[in-house]
Amino acid sequence: MSRIQANLLLTLVALIWGSAFVAQNQAMAHMGPLLFTGVRFLVGSLVVLPLAVMEWRRLGRAGQPLSRGDGGHIAVLGGLMTLGAVMQQVGIQFTSVTNAGFLTALYVPLVPVLGWLLLRQGAHWSVWPAAFGCLAGAFLLSGAHTLSIGLGDLWVIGSAIPWAVHVLMVGRWADRMGAPFLVACGQFAVCGLLSLGAAAVMEPLRWDGVLAATGPILYTGVLSVGVAFTAQVVAQRYAHAADAAIILSSETLFAAAFGYLLLGERLAAAGLLGCALMLACIVLVQLLPLVGTLRRRQILTAPSN
């Protein structure tokens, strides 16, 4: 898969995640967020399970089975996924949705920062202004005018760290293992089981609520988790982690678009400006490195006197 194909696949992932916000809002009328997260991630795990089994058999026939260390990496990815979701949910109980939506976007600039600090992974210079431009766009899109930091805000800020590490590591480990479906299925199962365990402690487990939210569960479980998160694992084998974080942040744009189309929500001028800023950053972070590559090729292929 080429870099452009991987980035297009990540854009599709962001579109699916953006559309899933409608279903997630509908589900919250019938069940708690932890129970919903646990059930839908287990559904996603079942969706990918046949492909994961085929991949397991293929690796066995090739004499390249996954090691215990690979299983540990998959468990860590599932743990990061769960930690990000739980910390975010705790914070939402004590802060406004506006603050939570904006602060969650902190993972975008965190990815290149952590990539440099933890992995000594360099990034094209355009990533840095694009990351902070996406953050500013998310602020405008949220409709916020001022931002006060409270206890809930600190929880949401903390949730950006495991999400950033997850984006950073998922492509690295999936590429090393050569088993994207096993990675996806395994991390979904870990996240689902851990979320259900947390729900058993923090929320009432109501079967009638699960039945009432069957539609949103199936939509988000099959598409948002089973298809989109698996596509993320596949695409990030070929995409730079910093690029992936910026492209995936377009989820906010698609959420606004589906809110407009399906829920009748309207954006103010600041929100439209935020959408334009994020879209510009996403496009530029893809085009500027290509321009540099084309220039170098022209220099190398230019006839010498």
Side-chain angles (χ1 to χ4, degrees):
M1 184 180 293
S2 69
R3 177 175 176 268
I4 294 177
Q5 289 173 326
N7 290 344
L8 289 174
L9 185 55
L10 287 172
T11 303
L12 176 62
V13 170
L15 188 151
I16 294 174
W17 285 348
S19 70
F21 274 104
V22 176
Q24 288 175 259
N25 285 337
Q26 293 173 340
M28 290 304 94
H30 306 288
M31 59 197 304
L34 290 173
L35 177 59
F36 175 67
T37 300
V39 174
R40 78 184 183 106
F41 271 90
L42 288 181
V43 169
S45 180
L46 291 175
V47 169
V48 187
L49 183 60
L51 295 174
V53 171
M54 291 173 59
E55 197 167 59
W56 176 273
R57 291 174 178 172
R58 176 182 62 80
L59 291 174
R61 289 194 298 269
Q64 299 173 329
L66 296 186
S67 66
R68 185 174 299 179
D70 293 329
H73 288 155
I74 293 173
V76 169
L77 289 175
L80 288 169
M81 187 176 282
T82 307
L83 189 60
V86 170
M87 291 180 70
Q88 183 186 58
Q89 185 55 42
V90 171
I92 288 175
Q93 298 178 69
F94 305 106
T95 189
S96 66
V97 173
T98 295
N99 280 20
F102 165 61
L103 292 171
T104 300
L106 282 172
Y107 86 91
V108 178
L110 271 178
V111 167
V113 171
L114 291 176
W116 179 72
L117 289 176
L118 301 179
L119 305 176
R120 297 300 175 189
Q121 196 176 71
H124 190 270
W125 67 265
S126 62
V127 164
W128 301 99
F132 287 100
C134 283
L135 192 60
F139 179 76
L140 292 171
L141 186 57
S142 71
H145 301 290
T146 60
L147 187 65
S148 58
I149 303 297
L151 177 62
D153 300 318
L154 292 175
W155 275 101
V156 178
I157 290 172
S159 75
I161 298 175
W163 282 127
V165 177
H166 183 272
V167 170
L168 191 63
M169 301 309 300
V170 68
R172 182 182 179 89
W173 286 342
D175 186 44
R176 182 181 299 170
M177 290 183 236
F181 298 119
L182 281 169
V183 171
C185 184
Q187 69 172 359
F188 299 160
V190 170
C191 181
L193 292 173
L194 290 177
S195 297
L196 285 182
V201 176
M202 302 174 64
E203 297 175 358
L205 302 182
R206 296 174 46 230
W207 180 247
D208 58 332
V210 175
L211 292 177
T214 298
I217 288 172
L218 290 177
Y219 184 84
T220 58
V222 174
L223 283 180
S224 180
V225 177
V227 174
F229 269 109
T230 302
Q232 178 205 5
V233 174
V234 173
Q236 280 200 240
R237 297 179 64 194
Y238 309 95
H240 195 284
D243 290 4
I246 292 171
I247 295 171
L248 292 175
S249 72
S250 64
E251 165 191 5
T252 308
L253 298 177
F254 291 118
F258 280 100
Y260 175 87
L261 293 173
L262 302 179
L263 301 178
E265 295 179 353
R266 298 295 181 267
L267 291 175
L272 292 173
L273 179 60
C275 287
L277 180 58
M278 293 183 72
L279 183 60
C281 291
I282 292 165
V283 172
L284 288 176
V285 82
Q286 302 308 309
L287 293 182
L288 289 178
L290 292 178
V291 170
T293 301
L294 290 176
R295 285 179 178 174
R296 286 191 294 271
R297 288 180 180 174
Q298 289 176 350
I299 293 173
L300 292 174
T301 57
S304 57
N305 294 328

